[in-house]
Amino acid sequence: MTGSLIRPTRRALLGAAAALGAGATARTARAQSLRGTTLAQSLRGTMLVFASWGGAYQEAQKVCYCDPFAAETGARVVQDGPMNAARFRTMAESGAPDWDVVDVTINTLFSGAHDGLLEKIDTTVVDTSRIAPQFVHEYGIGCIAWSYNLAYNTRTFPAARRPTTWADLFDMRQFPGKRTMLDQPVANLEAALMADGVAAADLYPLDVERALRKIDTIKAQTIFWTTNSQSQQLFVDEEVSIGIILNGRAYDASKKGAEIGIAWEGNIQSVDYLVVPRGSRNRAAAMKLIEVMTRAENQARLANMIAYAPTNPAAFASIDPAISPWLSTSPENTRRGFVINAEWWRQNERRLMERWAAWKLAR
C-alpha cells in the first residue's frame, strides 16, 4: 500500500547486519593485504637480525621462514645466536639491541613483558587470528610447541628393557651409562621430582632442595648441556646413553641415523615465542618477518623438517603423518604430559639460576 510503513523482519535485520559485517571484514582484509604489500615493498634493502637456538632448528627456520621472507620483501636476514637469556636482557635493557626478532622460551617472554623489555606485536601486520589463542600474547607470538623428553640409545637399551619414565633416568642399576641434563634448573627440577614420586599435578611450587638431592644421585655420571645442538650431538656421538632432550632434536638426530628413542610419559611441554626486543631499529621489518613465520604453509614446512608442532592449526593439514608421533601436541602425547608453569618460573628463575650455579660447584 502506498505510504504504508514496512517493518523489516528480525531475519532481514540480521541479514543486513551480517552483510555489513562481511563487507567490513572484506574491506579490513583488503586494507591489511594492501598494507602488507606496501610494507613488503618498503623493506627492500633492509637488513635485520634473527636470533634463535642454532643447529638443525635454526637452519629449518632459515629455510622455512627467513628465506621466503627475504624472497618476498627483498630484505636480508642475518642469522645469530644461540639465544641466551642474559645476553637478550642486556641488549633489551640498553634500548639498542643487535637482534630484531628473537625466538625465546615462554619464561623469557613472561619476564621480558613484565619488565618492559619487549615491543608490542603489531596486529595490523601480524594476523594473530590465525594462531591458536593460547599461543598469542600481547608481546609475543608462539611459533612452535615442544617438549622436554626422556631420550635413550636404542641399541644400548633394546625394546625389551627401554626406559619409559623419569624414574628410569635415575636408575643407574637397570639403566647404566652416562646421563645428560640441561645446565639449568628449568625442567630438570620437574623431572627429578616426578622421578621421586611427585605427581605432575602437584609439582608447583617446586620443592627445589628435594629435586637437587635427587639429581645428586646421578650428578657424577651426568654431562650438562648448554645448547640444544650440544644435547643432540651427545646422542649422535653416543657420549651418553640416556638423558633429557627436546623432542624435535631427538627427531632430527634420528633422521640423521642416531640410535635414539624418546619416552612420552611425563613430557614437559612448553612454547617458543617470537618477540621483538625493545628499541629494535627495524621494528617494521621485524613484524613482517613474524607475519611470514606464522603462515600455515611455512609452519608446516618447518614441522616436516624438524618435529616441532605448529601454533597455526591450519598447518596440520600439510604435516607428514609419519611425523605426528614425534609431536608434543598429538592427542596421545599431550595427554601424557603437562605444560610447564611459566608464571612460577618467571617469579623464581633468577633466584634458582643462582641456586643451580652454587649446587653445580658443590661436591
Side-chain angles (χ1 to χ4, degrees), residues 5-339:
L5 180 62
I6 302 176
R7 298 179 185 277
T9 65
R10 182 174 183 274
R11 178 177 295 179
L13 287 170
L14 290 173
L20 286 171
T25 300
R27 287 192 296 274
T28 300
R30 284 195 296 273
Q32 288 179 338
S33 177
L34 286 171
R35 176 181 169 85
T37 301
T38 303
L39 175 58
Q41 291 171 344
S42 72
L43 297 179
R44 183 168 298 278
T46 300
M47 185 187 82
L48 71 159
V49 179
F50 172 64
S52 189
W53 300 92
Y57 175 47
Q58 189 161 353
E59 179 57 30
Q61 290 180 304
K62 178 184 180 298
V63 171
C64 301
Y65 298 150
C66 299
D67 290 351
F69 166 82
E72 179 179 330
T73 64
R76 178 185 170 210
V77 183
V78 175
Q79 303 293 316
D80 200 4
M83 161 59 189
N84 176 279
R87 183 181 175 193
F88 175 85
R89 176 169 286 274
T90 299
M91 283 187 189
E93 287 175 343
S94 76
D98 296 329
W99 295 343
D100 297 300
V101 177
V102 190
D103 183 320
V104 303
T105 57
I106 192 169
N107 42 316
T108 299
L109 167 74
F110 273 64
S111 61
H114 180 268
D115 295 340
L117 301 181
L118 307 175
E119 299 280 351
K120 285 186 178 181
I121 297 299
D122 186 347
T123 56
T124 67
V125 177
V126 182
D127 182 3
T128 57
S129 68
R130 65 170 63 138
I131 302 299
Q134 65 268 33
F135 302 136
V136 176
H137 189 279
E138 186 179 13
Y139 290 92
I141 300 297
C143 56
I144 56 164
W146 48 274
S147 56
Y148 296 99
N149 290 71
L150 176 67
Y152 53 87
N153 184 298
T154 54
R155 184 168 52 244
T156 303
F157 305 119
R161 60 184 191 94
R162 284 180 182 168
T164 58
T165 70
W166 290 117
D168 296 335
L169 176 60
F170 296 85
D171 189 339
M172 293 292 299
R173 185 176 62 82
Q174 292 197 61
F175 303 100
K178 278 287 186 181
R179 271 77 175 128
T180 188
M181 301 181 82
L182 299 77
D183 192 7
Q184 62 175 38
V186 177
N188 283 345
L189 301 185
E190 284 90 342
L193 289 171
M194 284 188 284
D196 208 38
V198 180
D202 301 326
L203 282 171
Y204 302 96
L206 300 179
D207 187 335
V208 175
E209 298 309 314
R210 178 179 174 180
L212 292 177
R213 286 195 298 271
K214 186 67 174 178
I215 303 174
D216 269 330
T217 64
I218 60 170
K219 184 177 182 181
Q221 292 296 318
T222 299
I223 299 173
F224 293 95
W225 54 265
T226 56
T227 68
N228 295 322
S229 298
Q230 182 188 6
S231 71
Q232 183 174 334
Q233 200 62 42
L234 286 169
F235 280 97
V236 170
D237 296 341
E238 299 192 2
E239 290 187 50
V240 299
S241 58
I242 186 171
I244 300 178
I245 195 171
L246 273 61
N247 65 306
R249 293 292 179 155
Y251 172 75
D252 187 68
S254 176
K255 280 183 62 178
K256 292 175 178 174
E259 303 287 343
I260 188 172
I262 56 176
W264 284 98
E265 196 62 43
N267 70 88
I268 304 166
Q269 300 159 10
S270 192
V271 184
D272 268 26
Y273 283 83
L274 302 171
V275 301
V276 178
R278 185 184 67 195
S280 167
R281 292 180 288 269
N282 297 297
R283 184 178 177 278
M287 295 299 169
K288 182 61 179 176
L289 177 57
I290 292 175
E291 188 275 319
V292 172
M293 297 176 83
T294 54
R295 294 176 187 173
E297 63 272 22
N298 292 337
Q299 290 204 348
R301 288 180 66 200
L302 185 131
N304 285 330
M305 285 185 68
I306 187 166
Y308 291 134
T311 56
N312 185 331
F316 282 96
S318 302
I319 293 176
D320 184 345
I323 294 176
S324 293
W326 291 87
L327 297 178
S328 57
T329 52
S330 72
E332 178 65 16
N333 296 338
T334 297
R335 182 185 65 79
R336 296 165 71 183
F338 66 96
V339 177

